[in-house]
Amino acid sequence: MPGLLWQLEMFLVALSFAYFAKALSGSYMKSTITQLERRFDIPSYLIGVIDGSFEIGNLLVIAFVSYFGAKLHRPKIIAVGCVLMSIGTFIIALPHFIIGSYEYETSVRVIVNSTLNPSPCQVGSSSNLTQGGKVPESNLSMWIYVLLGNVLRGIGETPVQPLGISYIDDFATEENAALYVGCVQTISVVGPVFGYLLGSLCAKIYVDIGFVKMETITITPADARWVGAWWLGYLIAGVITLLSAIPFWFLPRSLPMSGTGVCFKLDFYPSTDFIPALRALLGHPVYLIYLCVTIIQLNSLIGMVTYKPKYIEQHFRQSASKANFLMGVINIPAVALGMFSGGLLMKRLKLNVMGAARFAFGTSLIGYILSLFFFAMSCENAKVAGVTLSYNSTDTISYDKHSVFASCNSYCSCSASDWDPVCGENSITYLSPCLAGCTSSAGSGKNTVFSNCSCVGVAGNLTANTGQCLHKDDCDRMFPYFLALSVITSFIISLGGTPGYMLLIRCIKPQLKSLALGFHALATRTLAGIPAPIYFGAIIDTTCLKWGEKRCGGIGACRIYNTTAYRIAYLGLTLSLRTISFIVCIPGFILLSRQLKEEERNAIHGALANGGAELEALRKEEFVISNSSDNSTDRETRL
């Protein structure tokens, strides 16, 4: 038995590491959303397609793995899955090495050995606003590699959870199985923390680090054109995932059971019983309503989490690095603590099925009410001439369609599609030095100063500096309150996670439990994991004020959003879905109450029936004893 225990503990360590690796890769994918948008010049809805492709890969093989996986060598199947996940992660990073260096629009010179700078305002000819005089190359279809790699990641991840948990359940003692599964689940929560921290680190590093001279880079991480070293994190995550596969190759197919010597047990429905079992499951009204509620709430949760770093970047004007860092060290731990505390409270309060349902509903409702305060936490939109305000009226922001051309830059041959922002001396951002009417410049790189900017003002030698005006005072005051409320709501909503999951297990018959869990996972992946990032991204795209344009035609990545519309769309969609889920909960509580009362009546009738049978048996026994006594008395009398 010591050998059995050692091998089982070895499997537990290996499975925990695999859970950590897959969780790290998944969270790192979400942390690179804005980096991928800018690098491949794609809108948010396409990022949603890429993010949802992981679930598509899962669904392609989940039935095959679930049915045949338990019959094969489970540790080696998991090892193959980890290798596939690793290959998929490497494929995601592949475009960086085949599309060349990242080129962005800029009119800033990087040559310092010349005393003459070209005028941004070219009269009679279009100004070339690309670095080094090059035209930014097309990244058309390069995001396909990212999508295919993510599909392969989804395929590889499929066997890890079902086969890993079933292996532990088959060979661990009953009292240790729950502990081992809890350890694995805990480790899986640690993975996203490191994933977002890795995303924070890589976002600080320029995308072409090691391939270009950093002194020639004229943008900063706060710039909408900045792209971090997104590929580096995927290489690191791929290596970690590959290492997680190694131990599984050396583990046995099965372990002897204590005192029996039998191998693992299979837990699935025969094909002849599957259809009746599925019909019974789908005919269970409480289960169906629970399924609808969780699908709606997961749509809200997945869409919100996917674009939360982007929301922090765009609305509160934080860098991608800081947004990812805060997600990793604040939000994810709050969720983990909430889930653990919810399970602890359920045990302490000894909640039954109805108690668990009320607890989950109550925590979700409190989190919903607190989330309404997010609407009041707003930042003023950036002042961008020709986009959020007109050249003639620079006092009040409006979202009417303005023209980037005005009398002050009419003599310049400027492009309306360029995004090469400069901050004027009047604290207003202009789309390019040309559109600011600047006729001369001095210095080089990030220290370039543009002068004689006619659109900045009419008096004196007015200047503009490279980069967008920050205007972060109002955001910096509001941002700490946003973070505090975000942590509190995440914790409270997560409190109901464990009781809600226990409700799923306890509201159905024990023999349907495995099928119910499997169908629940399939439905939520199909109807929440895949569509939510896509339509959330599409709605966010509708709030874009200034799109980048590809050289080959079509829109690229969004450069600036309507902050007010973004907040209403993002938060409104999230809370609208939760509102619908609460409405669906009402008939669910009614049906659950009826089911529990019916079960209670059946239990009472069963007890009475059993009691009546016992009473009848007792009466028969007394009758037999009485007859025996009478016969004995008769015999004694006769004697």
Side-chain angles (χ1 to χ4, degrees):
M1 293 311 294
L4 166 64
L5 183 61
W6 178 85
Q7 288 177 321
L8 189 59
E9 289 180 346
M10 180 66 180
F11 181 85
L12 177 64
V13 172
L15 186 64
S16 299
F17 188 37
Y19 262 68
F20 171 82
K22 73 184 185 70
L24 183 146
S25 299
S27 57
Y28 183 77
M29 163 64 75
K30 294 189 181 299
S31 76
T32 58
I33 279 181
T34 53
Q35 312 296 307
L36 295 175
E37 282 184 13
R38 296 169 185 174
R39 186 64 183 98
F40 300 111
D41 262 336
I42 54 178
S44 292
Y45 84 89
L46 273 182
I47 284 292
V49 173
I50 292 173
D51 188 72
S53 64
F54 177 85
E55 307 292 349
I56 295 174
N58 236 272
L59 293 174
L60 289 175
V61 295
I62 192 170
F64 177 84
V65 169
S66 298
Y67 187 79
F68 293 103
K71 299 180 179 181
L72 304 174
H73 196 303
R74 283 181 284 185
K76 288 187 176 179
I77 295 296
I78 295 174
V80 171
C82 291
V83 171
L84 289 177
M85 277 197 293
S86 177
I87 294 173
T89 309
F90 289 137
I91 290 175
I92 293 175
L94 182 63
H96 172 74
F97 301 97
I98 61 178
I99 62 176
S101 60
Y102 174 54
E103 303 285 354
Y104 54 88
E105 298 168 321
T106 181
S107 57
V108 175
R109 290 174 57 257
V110 295
I111 302 173
V112 297
N113 59 358
S114 174
T115 58
L116 296 176
N117 288 357
S119 171
C121 175
Q122 302 271 334
V123 179
S125 63
S126 297
S127 42
N128 190 347
L129 296 180
T130 57
Q131 189 176 20
K134 298 177 183 178
V135 175
E137 65 176 281
S138 169
N139 296 325
L140 181 64
S141 300
M142 282 295 147
W143 58 271
I144 294 293
Y145 288 94
V146 182
L147 184 142
L148 294 177
N150 211 31
V151 170
L152 191 58
R153 275 189 59 243
I155 293 173
E157 190 266 351
T158 306
V160 176
Q161 180 174 354
L163 301 189
I165 298 300
S166 67
Y167 194 91
I168 291 176
D169 187 55
D170 287 343
F171 303 122
T173 59
E174 188 174 347
E175 60 269 19
N176 286 337
L179 175 64
Y180 291 161
V181 172
C183 291
V184 172
Q185 297 289 355
T186 302
I187 294 297
S188 69
V189 176
V190 178
V193 175
F194 284 86
Y196 278 107
L197 291 179
L198 180 61
S200 174
L201 176 64
C202 293
K204 288 182 181 178
I205 305 171
Y206 185 66
V207 59
D208 291 320
I209 185 74
F211 298 94
V212 298
K213 294 181 179 180
M214 290 306 297
E215 58 268 21
T216 65
I217 305 304
T218 61
I219 55 177
T220 66
D223 197 292
R225 294 165 293 176
W226 176 271
V227 176
W230 60 273
W231 53 273
L232 181 59
Y234 286 111
L235 294 182
I236 295 173
V239 171
I240 293 173
T241 309
L242 187 61
L243 292 175
S244 71
I246 295 175
F248 292 106
W249 295 109
F250 302 99
L251 289 165
R253 174 173 179 171
S254 61
L255 300 174
M257 303 285 286
S258 175
T260 61
V262 298
C263 294
F264 59 86
K265 54 185 180 294
L266 297 179
D267 183 19
F268 62 88
Y269 284 94
S271 58
T272 55
D273 295 336
F274 177 75
I275 299 300
L278 183 62
R279 188 182 298 117
L281 183 66
L282 296 181
H284 196 296
V286 175
Y287 176 79
L288 282 181
I289 289 181
Y290 177 89
L291 191 63
C292 291
V293 170
T294 52
I295 287 174
I296 296 170
Q297 289 195 341
L298 279 175
N299 269 272
S300 173
L301 177 66
I302 292 172
M304 184 268 292
V305 171
T306 301
Y307 294 100
K308 190 166 187 177
K310 181 182 174 75
Y311 180 76
I312 293 174
E313 288 179 53
Q314 297 294 333
H315 195 275
F316 294 98
R317 298 168 198 158
Q318 305 294 324
S319 67
S321 175
K322 187 173 182 179
N324 291 327
F325 177 80
L326 293 172
M327 285 289 292
V329 301
I330 295 181
N331 269 83
I332 302 299
V335 171
L337 181 62
M339 294 179 66
F340 175 78
S341 301
L344 192 62
L345 284 172
M346 188 173 181
K347 181 179 179 181
R348 291 281 178 88
L349 299 175
K350 297 180 181 180
L351 298 176
N352 56 15
V353 178
M354 181 59 77
R358 289 171 178 166
F359 186 87
F361 181 84
T363 55
S364 183
L365 183 61
I366 294 172
Y368 171 86
I369 294 172
L370 290 176
S371 297
L372 295 174
F373 289 98
F374 284 126
F375 283 102
M377 297 180 176
S378 61
C379 290
E380 185 181 355
N381 212 336
K383 294 182 178 181
V384 183
V387 179
T388 61
L389 45 80
S390 66
Y391 277 81
N392 297 326
S393 176
T394 58
D395 296 328
T396 57
I397 293 178
S398 67
Y399 302 109
D400 297 329
K401 290 187 176 180
H402 304 294
S403 173
V404 296
F405 298 109
S407 58
C408 59
N409 58 29
S410 59
Y411 55 90
C412 303
S413 297
C414 305
S415 171
S417 62
D418 291 328
W419 178 262
D420 181 27
V422 293
C423 180
E425 198 174 328
N426 56 355
S427 298
I428 293 175
T429 299
Y430 296 86
L431 296 186
S432 69
C434 182
L435 289 170
C438 303
T439 58
S440 61
S441 62
S444 63
K446 299 174 186 176
N447 299 319
T448 301
V449 177
F450 300 92
S451 55
N452 297 324
C453 303
S454 56
C455 293
V456 176
V458 293
N461 182 19
L462 296 174
T463 61
N465 299 313
T466 57
Q468 191 173 340
C469 299
L470 296 180
H471 296 299
K472 290 181 62 177
D473 292 342
D474 59 330
C475 290
D476 289 341
R477 287 192 299 269
M478 187 62 68
F479 191 51
Y481 296 104
F482 171 83
L483 288 179
L485 184 61
S486 179
V487 170
I488 293 171
T489 53
S490 297
F491 173 77
I492 292 176
I493 292 174
S494 300
L495 280 174
T498 302
Y501 196 74
M502 295 308 297
L503 171 63
L504 167 64
I505 296 174
R506 293 179 182 177
C507 75
I508 53 176
K509 296 178 180 179
Q511 60 267 31
L512 294 175
K513 186 187 302 181
S514 297
L515 181 62
L517 292 173
F519 191 81
H520 177 267
L522 179 66
T524 52
R525 285 178 184 274
T526 306
L527 301 177
I530 295 174
I534 299 175
Y535 67 77
F536 262 80
I539 289 177
I540 289 173
D541 284 338
T542 62
T543 68
C544 183
L545 294 174
K546 171 63 178 174
W547 288 100
E549 292 190 15
K550 297 180 181 179
R551 175 66 179 174
C552 56
I555 63 171
C558 185
R559 300 304 189 186
I560 185 172
Y561 289 89
N562 179 335
T563 303
T564 303
Y566 193 131
R567 182 176 70 256
I568 294 173
Y570 175 74
L571 297 177
L573 182 57
T574 301
L575 295 178
S576 295
L577 289 169
R578 289 195 205 171
T579 304
I580 296 172
S581 72
F582 292 143
I583 296 173
V584 178
C585 279
I586 296 174
F589 274 109
I590 296 173
L591 291 172
L592 179 60
S593 178
R594 289 179 181 175
Q595 176 183 319
L596 294 176
K597 288 179 180 178
E598 184 177 351
E599 290 176 357
E600 186 179 355
R601 283 196 300 268
N602 292 338
I604 293 174
H605 290 159
L608 291 174
N610 290 335
E614 291 175 2
L615 182 61
E616 184 66 24
L618 184 61
R619 286 175 178 172
K620 288 181 179 179
E621 186 178 348
E622 290 177 349
F623 179 76
V624 171
I625 294 173
S626 176
N627 286 342
S628 299
S629 300
D630 291 342
N631 291 337
S632 298
T633 303
D634 290 341
R635 284 196 299 269
E636 290 175 359
T637 303
R638 284 195 297 269
L639 289 172

